[in-house]
Amino acid sequence: MSQGTVILWFRQDLRLKDNPALISAAKRGRVLPVFILDEDNAGKFAAGGASRWWLGHSLTSLARSLGGHLSIYKGNPCEILSDIAHRFQVKAIYWNRCYEPWRMHRDAALKIHFKKLGIDVQSHNGSLLWEPWSIRKNDGTPHRVFTPFYRKGCLTSDQPRLPLSPPEQATYIGDSGSPHACKPQELLPRNRWQEKLEPYWQIGEEGAHARLNAFIEEGLPQYETGRNYPSKPFVSKLSPYLRNGEISPHQIWHAVLNLVRNKHIDHFCSELGWREFAYHLLYHYPDLPSKNLRPMFDTFPWKDGGPQLHAWRKGKTGIPMVDAGMRELWETGYMHNRVRMIVGSFLVKNLGIHWKHGERWFWDTLVDADLANNSAGWQWVAGSGSDAATYFRMFNPVMQGQKFDPDGDYVRQWIPEIASLPTAYLFNPWEAPDSVLSAAGIKLGETYPAPMIDLKQSRDAAQAAFESLKKDHE
């Protein structure tokens, strides 16, 4: 501990347990923990409103865990870290790696910069089970299909390391001399709608482990099939904690594999594998957030927004399963995964609106907004990505509701104005007889929107557009 001061730069790893960079830094000297909100380098990929809300609260929690010794800044990391290094005569900087293209480019430049100053920089893997460059096909090229990536790549590779304990002895110090310093509440978005999210989440490392334990107890025993039912508590809801690094994938992976192995555990591990696959794609295809992985879709006749996009965002399309999902998102900052596919398919295929508009809305409103997963997910549902659902495979929101919300609990929770409808008409109120609508106190177009489009006609139009696209590229 006599080797001087080292900087521990927290990024997407806001925890003390299983934090490789923190453990290494504590062995080197006194630790000056910092967090830097870097919006200039992030550009359009700066955190959205819901993510900023979560981040502010997560940093407050982390600061408490560090005894108040977390220095928070806003600005250019090169300038801020250089200033700290000069004032504290820092010998080394530690961080856990990030994999977004803009972050990788920035971090590579920082390593070069500090090496010239004689400052050691050490980076570690604290966010992924497998590094995105470590799994490739036999010919050395990256995978583009999930199943061989996971089964022939991940499961046959070295298994993820065991979680690491927090440093037994660590001396933390703070910094009060930087003009770039700010408080966690200053990072919160100006839009105050996020305040309503608070009842739904326990933010921070402690909350992450409480959520994992609750999932193991309540959700995991039913996971394989139960995860498809949005009104049931069978999904993990760990994604925002993973996004912010309040828990590591290694902790989750080994926590479930330490149980008696069964189909539910295997299926859940494969979902963690999808997260790894998204990062694999983002690493090898850095244009994933903005460019179709399948170039043929560059000429697809998608529409750009308009009143239909606005109605979709607000959950006022007149299609109950879609509206329920969008209202859940607006109210809680989260949406059940199956419903994400339903609302995404409706936007891109029924409405014919470009997937980039859905990606942007999710980026701003999801507390688990993650560049790799958000981009890969939207390209999957649009049919333009790797291992994608083919374009003509569409999620019928009426049939999806009837199958996965059979009692109507999910729709009734989020659309109370149609809650009195019999379940037989709950997902397609436009087909209900006038007498049924009247008895339920519903006037379509007044108390609840009439459907903005005909599902069958819009499906046929999407199919025709795709067939035309295929002919153009034959």
Side-chain angles (χ1 to χ4, degrees):
M1 301 294 289
S2 61
Q3 298 183 39
T5 299
V6 299
I7 294 173
L8 187 280
W9 182 11
F10 281 101
R11 292 115 72 84
Q12 296 168 331
D13 53 349
L14 307 182
R15 64 182 186 274
L16 301 188
K17 297 177 182 177
D18 194 37
N19 191 318
L22 172 60
I23 293 167
S24 296
K27 295 176 181 177
R28 184 81 175 261
R30 297 179 306 169
V31 178
L32 200 167
V34 308
F35 178 88
I36 304 170
L37 183 67
D38 180 9
E39 294 184 303
D40 290 340
N41 283 304
K44 69 176 182 179
F45 300 120
S51 295
R52 285 280 294 271
W53 169 81
W54 187 289
L55 175 63
H57 290 289
S58 186
L59 289 172
T60 299
S61 176
L62 179 62
R64 285 197 299 265
S65 300
L66 291 165
H69 297 300
L70 176 65
S71 300
I72 302 173
Y73 312 87
K74 188 176 181 181
N76 187 299
C78 187
E79 296 176 9
I80 293 169
L81 293 172
S82 296
D83 173 63
I84 298 170
H86 174 72
R87 288 187 288 111
F88 285 87
Q89 297 183 336
V90 166
K91 301 299 181 184
I93 302 173
Y94 289 77
W95 66 61
N96 289 310
R97 287 187 282 276
C98 298
Y99 302 91
E100 294 88 345
W102 71 268
R103 292 184 194 268
M104 295 186 70
H105 177 77
R106 178 201 63 189
D107 292 352
L110 286 172
K111 286 186 176 182
I112 294 172
H113 171 77
F114 287 110
K115 183 177 181 180
K116 291 179 179 178
L117 297 179
I119 297 174
D120 183 31
V121 175
Q122 298 287 333
S123 64
H124 298 262
N125 174 14
S127 300
L128 295 176
L129 299 172
W130 295 276
E131 294 283 18
W133 53 80
S134 65
I135 296 175
R136 293 177 179 265
K137 295 190 290 186
N138 292 336
D139 62 4
T141 60
H143 286 275
R144 290 176 63 100
V145 179
F146 171 72
T147 300
F149 167 81
Y150 182 65
R151 293 183 180 174
K152 297 181 181 179
C154 297
L155 297 184
T156 59
S157 299
D158 292 337
Q159 288 303 289
R161 60 166 175 77
L162 292 171
L164 306 171
S165 300
E168 294 183 1
Q169 293 184 336
T171 301
Y172 301 113
I173 62 172
D175 171 29
S176 59
S178 172
H180 300 282
C182 63
K183 298 178 181 179
Q185 53 266 35
E186 295 178 48
L187 305 185
L188 295 174
R190 295 177 183 175
N191 188 339
R192 306 308 299 175
W193 66 265
Q194 292 91 344
E195 292 177 352
K196 66 185 177 183
L197 308 183
E198 293 183 7
Y200 297 98
W201 303 101
Q202 180 185 350
I203 299 174
E205 185 172 9
E206 183 178 341
H209 286 275
R211 177 87 285 276
L212 173 61
N213 292 334
F215 169 64
I216 289 175
E217 182 72 21
E218 301 171 2
L220 191 57
Q222 307 278 347
Y223 186 76
E224 185 189 31
T225 56
R227 62 182 294 274
N228 287 307
Y229 295 85
S231 68
K232 306 298 182 182
F234 298 142
V235 292
S236 74
K237 292 190 176 179
L238 287 166
S239 50
Y241 301 100
L242 279 167
R243 164 65 182 83
N244 292 278
E246 294 153 317
I247 195 169
S248 77
H250 300 81
Q251 291 171 303
I252 299 172
W253 179 271
H254 288 289
V256 299
L257 286 182
N258 282 339
L259 305 172
V260 177
R261 192 79 172 261
N262 58 39
K263 63 181 181 179
H264 303 291
I265 289 173
D266 288 342
H267 198 96
F268 178 69
C269 286
S270 74
E271 292 301 314
L272 291 176
W274 272 103
R275 178 176 182 268
E276 300 287 316
F277 184 52
Y279 274 91
H280 174 85
L281 291 175
L282 182 63
Y283 175 78
H284 291 288
Y285 305 99
D287 291 330
L288 182 72
S290 58
K291 185 177 179 181
N292 297 312
L293 276 182
R294 299 175 66 189
M296 66 181 289
F297 279 88
D298 292 346
T299 58
F300 192 81
W302 275 311
K303 295 182 290 187
D304 277 327
Q308 289 184 331
L309 175 62
H310 179 76
W312 176 83
R313 287 173 174 170
K314 299 302 181 183
K316 295 182 178 180
T317 68
I319 310 296
M321 200 64 184
V322 173
D323 292 344
M326 300 308 293
R327 294 186 192 187
E328 179 191 19
L329 172 61
W330 185 251
E331 182 69 23
T332 71
Y334 177 86
M335 189 191 301
H336 187 277
N337 187 62
R338 174 158 290 277
V339 186
R340 295 188 197 200
M341 294 187 288
I342 295 170
V343 304
S345 175
F346 180 80
L347 179 75
V348 175
K349 298 175 180 177
N350 292 99
L351 298 183
I353 294 174
H354 198 293
W355 60 265
K356 67 182 180 182
H357 296 291
E359 184 273 334
R360 283 288 91 189
W361 186 248
F362 274 24
W363 183 257
D364 194 45
T365 55
L366 279 171
V367 292
D368 62 8
D370 172 287
L371 190 61
N373 286 282
N374 197 35
S375 304
W378 273 100
Q379 290 228 39
W380 183 89
V381 81
S384 62
S386 178
D387 200 15
T390 53
Y391 187 81
F392 55 82
R393 186 184 303 156
M394 300 171 64
F395 287 83
N396 184 307
V398 174
M399 295 176 63
Q400 289 284 309
Q402 292 168 341
K403 183 174 181 179
F404 296 113
D405 189 27
D407 298 320
D409 295 337
Y410 180 74
V411 164
R412 288 190 172 94
Q413 177 182 0
W414 297 113
I415 315 181
E417 61 265 42
I418 63 171
S420 297
L421 269 179
T423 304
Y425 298 107
L426 187 63
F427 306 102
N428 51 336
W430 57 90
E431 294 182 356
D434 290 342
S435 59
V436 173
L437 292 173
S438 178
I442 298 170
K443 290 184 178 180
L444 292 183
E446 296 183 22
T447 60
Y448 180 69
M452 62 167 52
I453 49 146
D454 181 281
L455 291 175
K456 183 180 185 305
Q457 290 178 2
S458 60
R459 177 188 176 90
D460 291 344
Q463 178 69 44
F466 180 66
E467 291 299 331
S468 177
L469 181 70
K470 285 200 303 181
K471 290 180 181 178
D472 291 342
H473 288 81
E474 287 178 351

